[in-house]
Amino acid sequence: ALKTKLDFADKFKFVESPYGLLVPLRLKPRFQESFLKLVKMAKEDRSHLLSLSPRMFEEFIANLFSEMGFSVELTKPTRDGGADIVCVQNQNGIPLRLAVEVKRYKEGNPITVELVRSFVGANEQFKANKLVYVTTSSYTRPAIEYADRYVSHLLTLKEYEQIREWCEQVAPETWTLIG
């Protein structure tokens, strides 16, 4: 199936998007340009991320991880408490497998300990060696205490400021956007 996909892509001048979709080669710069514009806006203000649908926000975070050198797979959009994104990277012959849960929540609507525990429990399915919980909001004190006390070796909690840092990493201010 992979060879057929690659043959098709080559024959008809398609490239693979960060989400595994084949898109016409002529459209790739448009995808990249719109992504970089969103990265720039996200660095300025979280409201740009909050205006995205939950699935579009998942795709945005997946694209950030892809730009940071990970192979990325978006999971099906279901409410199963599992990971939204699986990221894989080989670092000096050592495989790193991340399961990433993404929540686009408004400030004042923090991630609870129940949601964090559910995500940790879902790792049985994903077999990740590191879990990353990403939100535009924050975490309740019990969620932070649970992560620090019981699963600090496995789980990392990330908020909007980390998203801003990732945006800076993939699109430094020295880059110029055209358009």
Side-chain angles (χ1 to χ4, degrees):
L2 179 61
K3 182 171 179 2
T4 304
K5 183 177 178 181
L6 294 176
D7 289 343
F8 177 85
D10 188 50
K11 181 177 180 180
F12 294 101
K13 305 297 182 228
F14 280 70
V15 293
E16 190 170 359
S17 76
Y19 315 113
L21 302 173
L22 293 178
V23 295
L25 184 59
R26 61 184 162 68
L27 293 181
K28 186 176 182 190
R30 289 188 196 154
F31 283 123
Q32 189 65 14
E33 181 180 321
S34 63
F35 171 69
L36 289 176
K37 283 182 181 178
L38 182 55
V39 165
K40 183 177 180 181
M41 291 187 302
K43 287 191 291 187
E44 296 169 2
D45 186 355
R46 95 177 68 214
S47 67
H48 299 291
L49 297 176
L50 293 172
S51 69
L52 299 174
S53 72
R55 186 60 173 183
M56 287 176 66
F57 181 60
E58 291 170 7
E59 291 172 358
F60 175 74
I61 296 297
N63 211 346
L64 282 177
F65 276 93
S66 178
E67 290 295 319
M68 291 187 288
F70 287 89
S71 296
V72 174
E73 177 188 335
L74 275 164
T75 62
K76 294 178 184 175
T78 59
R79 297 183 183 271
D80 62 1
D84 296 312
I85 307 165
V86 176
C87 305
V88 180
Q89 187 179 67
N90 190 327
Q91 295 181 347
N92 301 315
I94 301 169
L96 176 61
R97 184 174 174 88
L98 305 178
V100 183
E101 177 71 355
V102 179
K103 296 288 186 198
R104 181 198 50 85
Y105 282 7
K106 293 180 183 175
E107 289 179 87
N109 186 15
I111 304 299
T112 64
V113 69
E114 292 81 13
L115 289 172
V116 172
R117 281 185 182 136
S118 175
F119 178 49
V120 171
N123 190 40
E124 183 66 30
Q125 174 186 355
F126 296 101
K127 308 281 190 237
N129 49 10
K130 193 69 176 173
L131 302 175
V132 182
Y133 209 121
V134 180
T135 184
T136 51
S137 181
S138 59
Y139 298 89
T140 62
R141 183 176 308 274
I144 294 168
E145 289 172 356
Y146 170 77
D148 288 345
R149 187 172 297 145
Y150 299 109
V151 289
S152 61
H153 64 286
L154 179 64
L155 175 67
T156 302
L157 303 177
K158 300 297 182 184
E159 299 178 6
Y160 171 69
E161 287 305 315
Q162 181 64 60
I163 298 170
R164 287 184 65 196
E165 288 179 27
W166 291 334
C167 289
E168 183 60 37
Q169 184 178 337
V170 302
E173 286 301 321
T174 55
W175 290 13
T176 304
L177 292 176
I178 300 171

